[in-house]
Amino acid sequence: MKYSSGPRSLNLKLTLLVIGAVIAFATVYYTQNLVGKLQQREKEIVQLYASGLEFAADPETNNSDLSFIFNNIISRIDFPLILTDNKNQVVSTSGGLGYKNIEHDPKITQKQLKTLLQNKVKELSSTHQPIDVRTPDGKILSRIYFGDSEIIQRLRYYPYLQIIFAILFIAIAYSSFSYIKRSEQSN
């Protein structure tokens, strides 16, 4: 049997390369699109939280029961969130009230926690624009800084890992087939 590595073999390799590139780009596009949708959902949750705070700040709603609103909104938050005043200073170091989903050592002092939260505010501001909580007349009461959830962070890197594993698999398969072909030719 005669093996040829001419134009037919080259066309097959180029076709496989093009198909692989299309699959890789489609995977990246799909995953990044999904990440964008999840980020939009999280932004809507923060906006809902801000609307709840605005509702609570309205003097006409003092007699309303707000526990249902805050229990349902706050329980859905699974991403880092910090509430600041209108000068970007952390409102409270009480978990669930001034911040949520910020990991820290529980043994640190309140002052250290406040410093940690202030640094985290700077970090979160580079991720997303804060959501302003306003009074009915438009004055800014506070700002809500938020980051990406763990699932968004994982999804952001998933397609690149998938591409790396696919390239490794293709390289191993190609070298294995080349070795087998050389062995057959030498026999």
Side-chain angles (χ1 to χ4, degrees):
M1 234 187 237
K2 185 176 179 185
Y3 289 99
S4 127
S5 61
R8 187 172 165 201
S9 177
L10 182 64
N11 286 341
L12 179 63
K13 290 176 185 177
L14 286 175
T15 303
L16 289 175
L17 185 65
V18 169
I19 290 172
V22 168
I23 290 171
F25 287 121
T27 301
V28 170
Y29 174 77
Y30 176 77
T31 306
Q32 295 307 318
N33 189 22
L34 187 62
V35 165
K37 287 179 181 179
L38 286 171
Q39 285 178 326
Q40 182 62 33
R41 181 188 71 93
E42 289 179 357
K43 184 176 181 179
E44 289 169 1
I45 291 172
V46 173
Q47 188 64 50
L48 186 62
Y49 180 55
S51 297
L53 290 174
E54 289 171 354
F55 182 75
D58 189 357
E60 296 176 10
T61 60
N62 279 343
N63 296 332
S64 300
D65 181 24
L66 302 175
S67 62
F68 175 77
I69 295 172
F70 290 112
N71 288 339
N72 287 314
I73 295 171
I74 292 174
S75 66
R76 290 189 63 195
I77 296 173
D78 63 346
F79 47 87
L81 179 132
I82 300 176
L83 182 65
T84 67
D85 62 12
N86 59 358
K87 294 180 176 78
N88 297 327
Q89 298 300 311
V90 174
V91 171
S92 172
T93 56
S94 173
L97 181 61
Y99 68 95
K100 186 160 182 176
N101 298 318
I102 306 289
E103 292 190 24
H104 62 85
D105 184 3
K107 297 176 184 174
I108 63 174
T109 65
Q110 291 295 319
K111 185 177 180 181
Q112 291 171 325
L113 179 58
K114 189 163 187 165
T115 303
L116 176 106
L117 292 174
Q118 281 301 140
N119 291 334
K120 192 70 173 172
V121 163
K122 292 174 187 169
E123 180 184 326
L124 293 176
S125 68
S126 67
T127 306
H128 298 285
Q129 289 290 333
I131 304 290
D132 293 335
V133 178
R134 298 179 181 270
T135 61
D137 61 350
K139 181 182 171 189
I140 296 176
L141 286 175
S142 57
R143 289 191 170 97
I144 304 171
Y145 289 87
F146 64 102
D148 291 331
S149 65
E150 186 178 334
I151 192 165
I152 289 177
Q153 292 172 2
R154 286 184 182 179
L155 277 175
R156 186 171 281 132
Y157 300 109
Y158 174 73
Y160 303 110
L161 290 174
Q162 191 175 17
I163 290 169
I164 289 170
F165 287 129
I167 289 171
L168 287 173
F169 176 76
I170 290 169
I172 291 169
Y174 182 77
S175 64
S176 297
F177 286 127
S178 295
Y179 175 74
I180 291 170
K181 186 177 177 181
R182 282 192 306 269
S183 294
E184 287 176 352
Q185 284 177 346
S186 68
N187 287 338

